Amino acid sequence: TVLIVAGRRLDRAQALIEKWGLYKDRLKATQVDASSTSSLKTAFRSVDMVIVASSSTVFTRNVMETALDAHIDYFDTQV
């Protein structure tokens, strides 16, 4: 199982993976923009579940609907 750490800034996702050094072989960083449906669709192609742990609740509907369309599980820690 691989955990994908994603966000608007790839460098921050990569930094978080570096911080979790012990698990680096099971982590992957990627760039995703929650305001962009096409960005979300691309990111969701290779996952079974999306867990949202950001404070960008303004994009909740966008992320949720894209996850539903992709037939993947969705969990939001803010909602």
Side-chain angles (χ1 to χ4, degrees), residues 8-64:
R8 283 181 297 152
R9 295 192 43 197
L10 181 59
D11 61 324
R12 286 189 181 178
Q14 291 169 328
L16 187 56
I17 288 174
E18 289 299 319
K19 185 177 179 180
W20 294 342
L22 181 64
Y23 304 102
K24 284 169 54 172
D25 61 324
R26 297 183 65 194
L27 301 171
K28 176 184 171 186
T30 193
Q31 189 278 332
V32 178
D33 183 349
S35 70
S36 167
T37 302
S38 63
S39 176
L40 292 166
K41 284 180 183 180
T42 299
F44 292 174
R45 281 189 204 141
S46 61
V47 301
D48 298 315
M49 179 176 194
V50 60
I51 301 172
V52 180
S54 69
S55 59
S56 57
T57 56
V58 68
F59 301 117
T60 298
R61 184 179 185 126
N62 197 31
V63 176
M64 179 182 60

